[in-house]
């Protein structure tokens, strides 16, 4: 009987601790319930990627390298990091290099010609069962991976082509505008490829365009987009080899204009383009989706989770506002009508969602974990010792 008061005190202490944590989180960011459920504005299934090509004379939006005055860029260690910074090598052996090859970069040569890419590279690479897919800002390529299908790693099978090549004959801005910041992921659970490409310039205004949301607003559902999709895959042109020096034919990667997140009032929405392969072959056909984004969809960072593809993004270089979005993975893997649900979070640093590596699943129904380091970079608040989950 003497243990009862002690147990009660322990339970009370745990309850108080949990309440304190909840209160701290509530003070930092009030609870957001503004989930926006959006139907795809366009979707279809493509012809095999290996049979597609696009010319390089269309609109392109990339990024130019810029300097910042962040302390880390200037070689200054912010206060608080010295206690946790590793300054000596570990005692365990380093990771073993399995394979190395030249990817997209200066002097790259592939079936579609050569390309010399600029900084920032915005490099993204995914490794599948038999292939390696790389995207560098506005160009993509497919390489072999040594295994059952190929005897070597790093042989170029496809590329360099514009990233929008995967949206050939899809229509709309995903086909017309070759944007930077595109990302590729390999869904190991389904043995499929995911390509996500943002549209940085506003599309023509539609009568049913949604207005931008705000942190804390109630849920809103976007209007349904183009009807009658997915359509039947159309036979596309065989990619033609480009001249040995194709760089002269490619439009330059231009800097994002000032206040690009504040376009004229009479312009339409932005968009996020998704392509999910219909097979393990990254050069085969893709299910393609376009989702309307009323706010600027900068720096997408896709993550694979059993219940969805999570894609956090920023709304612009001058707005401390982030999007946390998820699309219906199960339906997209089958090319069915899918939705994109988003919440808006103000005053935080870049968001990153947990991404699965390997075949061991989290517990059934486990929520995806989203993290952000402390501070708000764009407001030059850089010294923070927290990692927020």
């Amino acid at each position: 009987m003497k243990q009862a008061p002690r147990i009660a005190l322990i339970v009370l202490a745990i309850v108080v601790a949990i309440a304190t944590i909840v209160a701290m989180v509530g003070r930092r960011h009030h609870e957001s319930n503004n989930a926006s459920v959006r139907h795809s504005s366009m979707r279809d299934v493509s012809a095999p990627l290996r049979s597609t090509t696009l010319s390089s004379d269309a609109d392109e939006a990339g990024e130019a390298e810029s300097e910042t005055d962040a302390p880390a860029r200037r070689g200054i260690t912010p206060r608080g990091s010295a206690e946790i910074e590793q300054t000596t090598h570990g005692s365990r052996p380093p990771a073993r290099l399995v394979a190395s090859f030249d990817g997209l970069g200066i002097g790259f040569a592939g079936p579609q010609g050569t390309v010399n890419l600029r900084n920032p590279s915005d490099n993204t690479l995914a490794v599948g069962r038999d292939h390696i897919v790389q995207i560098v800002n506005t160009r993509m390529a497919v390489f072999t991976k040594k295994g059952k299908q190929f005897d070597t790693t790093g042989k170029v099978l496809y590329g360099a082509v514009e990233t929008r090549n995967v949206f050939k004959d899809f229509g709309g801005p995903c086909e017309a505008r070759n944007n930077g910041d595109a990302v590729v992921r390999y869904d190991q659970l389904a043995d499929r490829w995911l390509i996500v490409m943002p549209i940085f310039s506003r599309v023509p205004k539609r009568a049913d365009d949604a207005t931008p949301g705000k942190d804390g607003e109630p849920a809103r559902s976007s209007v349904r987009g183009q009807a009658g999709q997915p359509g039947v895959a159309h036979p596309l042109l065989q990619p033609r080899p480009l001249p040995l020096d194709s760089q002269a034919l490619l439009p330059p990667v231009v800097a994002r204009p000032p206040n690009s997140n504040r376009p004229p009032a009479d312009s339409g929405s932005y968009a996020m383009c998704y392509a999910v392969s219909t097979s393990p072959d990254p050069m085969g056909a893709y299910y393609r989706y376009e989702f309307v984004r009323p706010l600027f969809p900068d720096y997408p960072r896709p993550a694979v989770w059993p219940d969805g593809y999570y894609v956090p993004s920023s709304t612009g270089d001058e707005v401390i506002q982030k999007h946390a979005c998820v699309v219906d993975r199960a339906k997209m893997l089958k090319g069915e009508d899918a939705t994109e649900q988003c919440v808006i979070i103000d005053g935080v640093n870049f968001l990153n969602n947990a991404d699965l590596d390997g075949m061991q699943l989290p517990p059934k129904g486990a929520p995806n974990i989203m993290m952000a380091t402390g501070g708000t970079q764009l407001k030059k608040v850089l010294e923070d010792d927290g990692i927020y989950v």
Side-chain angles (χ1 to χ4, degrees):
M1 297 297 295
K2 294 181 179 180
Q3 295 295 326
R6 180 176 301 175
I7 294 174
L9 288 174
I10 293 174
V11 173
L12 178 61
I14 293 174
V15 172
V16 171
I18 294 175
T20 302
I21 293 173
V22 171
M24 292 174 63
V25 173
R27 286 196 300 269
R28 183 169 182 86
H29 306 299
H30 61 81
E31 183 177 357
S32 177
N33 62 348
N34 65 322
S36 298
V37 182
R38 302 188 179 103
H39 289 280
S40 59
S41 53
M42 298 179 65
R43 61 188 177 95
D44 77 347
V45 57
S46 73
L49 184 60
R50 60 170 56 86
S51 67
T52 67
T53 187
L54 280 167
S55 63
S56 299
D57 56 359
D59 184 22
E60 176 173 359
E63 295 181 80
E65 187 173 23
S66 61
E67 293 296 324
T68 71
D69 58 352
R73 186 71 66 88
R74 299 197 307 267
I76 302 173
T77 302
R79 288 195 310 258
S81 62
E83 297 179 2
I84 59 174
E85 181 180 6
Q86 180 176 330
T87 58
T88 60
H89 292 291
S91 59
R92 295 182 180 181
R96 182 172 61 90
L97 181 64
V98 177
S100 176
F101 60 93
D102 289 337
L104 287 168
I106 298 296
F108 174 87
Q112 277 71 45
T114 64
V115 65
N116 295 319
L117 299 172
R118 306 168 177 85
N119 285 327
S121 69
D122 290 324
N123 184 28
T124 170
L125 182 142
V127 181
R129 188 171 56 187
D130 298 301
H131 300 84
I132 299 170
V133 179
Q134 184 184 24
I135 297 178
V136 176
N137 215 330
T138 61
R139 300 295 185 273
M140 64 177 293
V142 179
F143 305 86
T144 60
K145 176 187 172 185
K146 185 177 181 180
K148 293 182 179 180
Q149 188 171 349
F150 302 105
D151 59 3
T152 185
T153 294
K155 180 182 177 181
V156 187
L157 298 175
Y158 185 80
V161 297
E162 294 178 330
T163 310
R164 69 188 175 104
N165 206 56
V166 75
F167 297 99
K168 177 71 166 60
D169 284 343
F170 181 53
C174 298
E175 178 185 9
R177 303 178 183 180
N178 189 46
N179 269 76
D181 280 10
V183 180
V184 58
R185 293 285 187 265
Y186 173 61
D187 184 342
Q188 293 174 290
L189 303 181
D191 200 10
R192 302 284 191 87
W193 300 88
L194 169 69
I195 294 175
V196 179
M197 185 180 76
I199 297 299
F200 286 156
S201 53
R202 294 223 174 204
V203 301
K205 188 172 179 60
R206 305 188 315 177
D208 52 5
D209 270 342
T211 57
K214 296 181 180 179
D215 187 10
E217 286 185 344
R220 293 189 299 174
S221 178
S222 72
V223 297
R224 185 176 298 276
Q226 183 171 325
Q229 294 186 351
V232 178
H234 298 284
L236 304 180
L237 298 174
Q238 180 71 22
R240 60 182 177 83
L242 296 177
L244 290 179
D245 185 9
S246 62
Q247 187 64 23
L249 304 178
L250 301 178
V253 177
V254 297
R256 194 180 289 118
N259 297 326
S260 60
N261 57 304
R262 299 187 182 95
D266 60 351
S267 57
S269 295
Y270 303 101
M272 189 69 78
C273 310
Y274 294 83
V276 180
S277 68
T278 63
S279 73
D281 183 4
M283 296 186 296
Y286 283 79
Y287 297 124
R288 296 155 338 162
Y289 297 80
E290 176 203 327
F291 292 98
V292 171
R293 290 287 190 92
L295 293 172
F296 190 62
D298 203 10
Y299 295 116
R301 292 167 293 282
V304 177
W305 201 250
D307 65 355
Y309 293 129
Y310 287 75
V311 185
S313 61
S314 304
T315 63
D317 287 343
E318 298 178 11
V319 179
I320 314 302
Q321 189 177 65
K322 309 298 177 188
H323 260 133
C325 300
V326 57
V327 288
D328 193 330
R329 171 179 173 270
K331 291 189 175 181
M332 293 177 78
L333 287 171
K334 295 184 289 186
E336 297 177 349
D337 185 31
T339 57
E340 182 185 55
Q341 304 176 39
C342 297
V343 294
I344 296 172
I345 304 174
D346 289 338
V348 295
N349 211 331
F350 290 106
L351 302 172
N352 289 281
N353 289 81
D355 183 49
L356 286 177
D357 287 319
M359 302 300 293
Q360 185 173 349
L361 295 178
K364 187 175 181 179
N368 183 275
I369 299 171
M370 183 166 60
M371 303 177 67
T373 57
T376 47
Q377 175 195 6
L378 302 181
K379 288 183 178 178
K380 305 186 186 304
V381 179
L382 305 173
E383 296 179 7
D384 192 310
D385 60 359
I387 297 179
Y388 301 92
V389 179

